[in-house]
Amino acid sequence: MEAVLSRHFADPDPADLQVYRQAGGYAGLARAIEMDPADIIAEVEKSGLRGCGGAGFPTGLKWRLRGADAPQPRYLVCNLDETEPGSIKDRALLFGAPHHIIEGMLIAAHALGVSYAVIFVRGEYAAGARVLEKALHQARAAGLLRLPDGDLRLDIHISLGRYICGEDSAILNAIEGKRANPRKKPPHISQQGLWQQPTTVNNAESIAHLPGILAHGADWFRSLGVNGGVGSKLYSVCGPAQRPGVFELPMGTTAREILFEHAGGMQEGRNLRAVLPGGSSTPFLMPEHFDTPMHFDAVAKVGSRLGTGGFILLDDQQCPVDFLVATTRFFARESCGFCTPCREGLPYLRWLLERIEAGEGSTEDIDTLHHLGGQIAPNSFCALAPGALMPVLSGLHAFADDFQAHVRLGHCPYRESQS
């Protein structure tokens, strides 16, 4: 497949507007400006583009459900607060395809009747934000921010940090200078979002796909996918692979091809035992699932989630209990503290896992982990705690023998074998 999003990743200066335009950049915007906004939304809906930040909700449908008669002013936010462990695709876009993001924001702004838009960038990506700022300056100087309804004000907002800022309503509180807690829904942010006005939030990868869809058409985009997927996808691989990194491939490429062809398989002496396929808030895929096409519907059918498409590898040299201690520590620390199940439940979950991994746990502790999993998720205010539980609950099932071995032996068997 010809590179779409990644075609400028290796350029000496991906922010160079002239190079981007010579390769066909801003052709999608030129076509969009000549179209009625309703027709742009219909084209995006026909393309099958879905949210690439984790949920996979159809982008065109999200835009249409906001309603053409939404009151003004309306706002648009690009979510580039990529804090999900194991996910690095948006970082690659930020450093390697800044004009894709800017052009996509201009297309979306015209389609949605927006006059003010924000690109919200993770605080640790400040160097990438400077690349984006350079590209934005060039686009503004070239007059590209002049849309049919007037100039678009497009700002870059660098986050102060915290995983919860990536939640679609918490990101709005952060922009407003408030504590980044998720908001109660309803009302949904499409009706009352940024400064209580209609707001659309889309992931950076979803936004970056818009120029290609508008330049070449919905049918072209759909044709890029394989095995029931549509479009291209940035998959990332983290862990003990030969070639970890970011790979643009047809949506629907199997996990086996991604891991063993493009990422080169495992490092010498290591065997792949399982993967989290969509960042650290997704259930494990086991080897019997590696021939599954990596698109939203196929991954859901085997009991996991595509999420961000960020693979985290678990090999036979690493203790799965210790692996889950690491993911749970992260989520326990990153809870906004707003609701009791998340604020109190995740630290308790972490403590139980640490206790078992240290060889001090009991079978009752394992039973408690199962019980907590059934109590925390349905009673939490937002998706942080349910996401944190996904690898734990699937790991309790997939690695039940390892959990029991820690209890039976009174220590971690992996530490013994490594020593």
Side-chain angles (χ1 to χ4, degrees):
M1 185 195 78
E2 182 181 355
V4 180
L5 299 181
S6 59
R7 67 174 184 262
H8 295 292
F9 279 10
D11 287 0
D13 182 8
D16 189 311
L17 175 61
Q18 183 177 356
V19 172
Y20 182 71
R21 299 190 82 167
Q22 286 174 346
Y26 290 101
L29 174 63
R31 179 180 176 229
I33 286 175
E34 296 176 353
M35 296 171 66
D36 185 82
D39 293 334
I40 299 174
I41 294 173
E43 186 83 356
V44 173
E45 196 165 4
K46 180 183 176 184
S47 75
L49 176 66
R50 295 171 68 167
C52 300
F57 193 80
T59 302
L61 178 59
K62 175 189 274 192
W63 290 4
R64 184 163 58 82
L65 290 176
R66 194 217 53 186
D69 57 350
Q72 291 283 4
R74 307 164 186 170
Y75 300 116
L76 171 67
V77 176
C78 172
N79 187 344
L80 217 159
D81 186 65
E82 185 178 52
T83 324
E84 175 83 4
S87 301
I88 52 175
K89 65 181 182 65
D90 293 346
R91 181 186 184 278
L93 285 170
L94 180 63
F95 280 92
H99 282 290
H100 276 85
I101 298 171
I102 294 167
E103 184 180 3
M105 290 293 283
L106 292 167
I107 292 168
H110 175 47
L112 297 167
V114 167
S115 59
Y116 178 59
V118 178
I119 302 173
F120 188 92
V121 179
R122 176 182 173 181
E124 291 84 352
Y125 289 174
R130 289 192 289 273
V131 176
L132 186 63
E133 188 71 58
K134 178 181 177 181
L136 178 58
H137 175 75
Q138 293 186 22
R140 185 179 288 116
L144 293 169
L145 272 63
R146 298 192 190 105
L147 299 179
D149 293 331
D151 287 3
L152 175 70
R153 176 181 169 185
L154 180 56
D155 290 343
I156 298 171
H157 183 109
I158 299 180
S159 170
L160 291 177
R162 299 312 295 264
Y163 176 78
I164 195 63
C165 289
E167 198 271 346
D168 65 353
S169 62
I171 199 171
L172 305 183
N173 280 341
I175 292 171
E176 292 178 8
K178 301 173 183 175
R179 181 181 174 126
N181 288 345
R183 298 179 181 180
K184 184 179 180 180
K185 302 170 186 175
H188 195 269
I189 63 172
S190 60
Q191 280 76 50
Q192 294 183 30
L194 195 60
W195 298 298
Q196 299 302 303
Q197 290 297 121
T199 304
T200 302
V201 178
N202 287 123
N203 172 260
E205 185 182 358
S206 304
I207 289 289
H209 275 301
L210 297 175
I213 293 171
L214 268 295
H216 305 293
D219 292 336
W220 166 84
F221 182 76
R222 296 187 70 90
S223 72
L224 298 177
V226 295
N227 301 321
V230 299
S232 68
K233 178 79 183 84
L234 294 177
Y235 298 99
S236 58
V237 178
C238 298
Q242 293 280 0
R243 295 189 297 272
V246 178
F247 309 93
E248 184 180 10
L249 300 168
M251 175 77 89
T253 302
T254 66
R256 189 177 305 280
E257 180 180 336
I258 295 167
L259 297 171
F260 292 96
E261 293 185 28
H262 302 284
M266 301 299 288
Q267 295 175 7
E268 186 175 355
R270 295 173 179 264
N271 295 303
L272 183 58
R273 194 172 180 192
V275 299
L276 299 180
S280 60
S281 60
T282 55
F284 284 100
L285 285 183
M286 307 307 290
E288 59 266 28
H289 302 134
F290 287 174
D291 290 316
T292 301
M294 290 292 103
H295 64 76
F296 294 100
D297 298 331
V299 179
K301 285 182 180 179
V302 297
S304 189
R305 296 171 57 246
L306 180 63
T308 62
F311 287 78
I312 306 176
L313 312 187
L314 173 66
D315 69 346
D316 58 354
Q317 304 295 309
Q318 184 172 7
C319 171
V321 180
D322 188 49
F323 183 97
L324 293 171
V325 166
T327 64
T328 309
R329 278 177 181 162
F330 171 82
F331 289 113
R333 185 185 72 235
E334 293 299 316
S335 170
C336 76
F338 182 77
C339 70
T340 302
C342 186
R343 181 185 65 246
E344 308 297 335
L346 293 185
Y348 186 38
L349 198 76
R350 178 204 65 211
W351 180 81
L352 287 169
L353 288 167
E354 290 173 341
R355 175 180 167 87
I356 293 168
E357 203 279 331
E360 300 169 357
S362 64
T363 55
E364 289 77 13
D365 290 331
I366 298 175
D367 293 338
T368 301
L369 288 172
H370 284 284
H371 176 72
L372 278 175
Q375 296 296 315
I376 294 175
N379 295 297
S380 296
F381 188 74
C382 78
L384 188 151
L389 284 164
M390 286 186 181
V392 175
L393 294 178
S394 68
L396 283 168
H397 172 74
F399 310 116
D401 291 345
D402 292 283
F403 276 88
Q404 292 294 339
H406 282 73
V407 172
R408 184 179 66 254
L409 298 173
H411 59 79
C412 174
Y414 288 80
R415 293 180 183 175
E416 180 181 63
S417 63
Q418 289 169 0
S419 62

